[in-house]
Amino acid sequence: AQKVTQAQTEISVVEKEDVTLDCVYETRDTTYYLFWYKQPPSGELVFLIRRNSFDEQNEISGRYSWNFQKSTSSFNFTITASQVVDSAVYFCALRAYGGATNKLIFGTGTLLAVQP
Amino acid sequence: EPEVTQTPSHQVTQMGQEVILRCVPISNHLYFYWYRQILGQKVEFLVSFYNNEISEKSEIFDDQFSVERPDGSNFTLKIRSTKLEDSAMYFCASGTGWYTFGSGTRLTVV
């Protein structure tokens, strides 16, 4: 069975602090995709990144970086120098590669509050 | 950039009433999805639709739910007799390889 665990339900930081959001996943598939989405207070889901399981290179995009470690089944997300606009719920998600299903399995989300 | 459009953004309905949530997927996409997010909880898969039929559905998607692609552009989710626990944000998504989510319809059942 596939499962995504985001153990941190809420994190509060002060602006300019770095923060890491944890994501641990379970799957029997050897090939899969991992995602991060941001959900601001307005409610929409904003796509941040997609990673496939055969590419373990870390990625950096501006203040955002992602650390994918297959050995620990983790796909953690770090925001450097956090800003108030980063306040949102962040979801990690997992999807099988090919096959009969392409549904996304979401974690329970981490609410990030960045205080000015 | 192409968008998935959902209407209305917020709908209030009385318990027991039928409701139809509407979505206009991106035009060249082949797969369509509905997801649900109860307030404060995670996003959950409801159903996927491909080639004019349901390709997969979750346990949540019981007989009171149905989906339809009535024409070449719309994709709808119908809830036949709404319950209080159907109150949630409903997201439509479309994609051939990857998903694009709509901005959601917040359904409130009173």
Side-chain angles (χ1 to χ4, degrees):
Chain A
Q2 296 184 319
K3 186 179 177 183
V4 176
T5 301
Q6 295 180 256
Q8 304 152 309
T9 51
E10 289 187 39
I11 300 176
S12 182
V13 298
V14 176
E15 211 169 15
K16 296 184 184 175
E17 283 185 22
D18 298 347
V19 59
T20 294
L21 309 182
D22 297 334
C23 173
V24 174
Y25 62 91
E26 295 174 32
T27 181
R28 291 182 187 154
D29 297 327
T30 53
T31 310
Y32 47 87
Y33 292 102
L34 295 162
F35 301 79
W36 276 95
Y37 286 88
K38 175 182 179 180
Q39 187 175 43
S42 50
E44 72 272 24
L45 289 169
V46 179
F47 168 78
L48 294 178
I49 190 171
R50 174 183 67 246
R51 211 73 182 133
N52 60 49
S53 55
F54 41 88
D55 181 1
E56 287 193 68
Q57 277 197 340
N58 292 328
E59 183 156 338
I60 298 174
S61 175
R63 296 184 297 107
Y64 295 170
S65 62
W66 291 269
N67 183 343
F68 177 29
Q69 295 210 347
K70 218 167 171 178
S71 59
T72 55
S73 298
S74 65
F75 186 43
N76 296 337
F77 172 32
T78 297
I79 302 174
T80 303
S82 59
Q83 300 176 0
V84 172
V85 293
D86 296 327
S87 297
V89 180
Y90 290 86
F91 290 98
C92 181
L94 169 69
R95 204 201 93 177
Y97 180 86
T101 181
N102 50 14
K103 67 184 179 188
L104 283 172
I105 306 297
F106 284 84
T108 49
T110 297
L111 172 62
L112 174 64
V114 182
Q115 311 296 334
Chain B
E1 188 168 328
E3 288 184 344
V4 174
T5 304
Q6 289 188 245
T7 55
S9 55
H10 189 191
Q11 180 151 359
V12 181
T13 190
Q14 290 208 327
M15 193 169 54
Q17 294 294 305
E18 175 183 285
V19 67
I20 297 176
L21 308 183
R22 303 181 191 279
C23 170
V24 179
I26 294 172
S27 61
N28 62 346
H29 284 181
L30 301 178
Y31 285 85
F32 314 109
Y33 309 88
W34 284 101
Y35 283 75
R36 180 182 84 174
Q37 184 184 29
I38 294 172
L39 186 63
Q41 298 187 22
K42 67 179 176 181
V43 181
E44 299 174 291
F45 169 77
L46 287 178
V47 66
S48 60
F49 192 85
Y50 171 72
N51 200 25
N52 284 320
E53 61 182 23
I54 291 174
S55 52
E56 188 176 4
K57 61 183 181 179
S58 71
E59 296 172 349
I60 303 168
F61 194 87
D62 61 23
D63 290 345
Q64 71 159 344
F65 290 95
S66 62
V67 289
E68 197 176 38
R69 190 154 159 81
D71 51 43
S73 60
N74 291 286
F75 179 51
T76 62
L77 174 69
K78 182 192 290 186
I79 309 174
R80 287 192 183 79
S81 178
T82 49
K83 305 171 190 168
L84 293 176
E85 54 263 38
D86 293 327
S87 295
M89 179 78 98
Y90 289 82
F91 291 102
C92 174
S94 71
T96 300
W98 314 114
Y99 284 35
T100 299
F101 280 95
S103 54
T105 292
R106 184 168 298 284
L107 175 66
T108 302
V109 182
V110 297

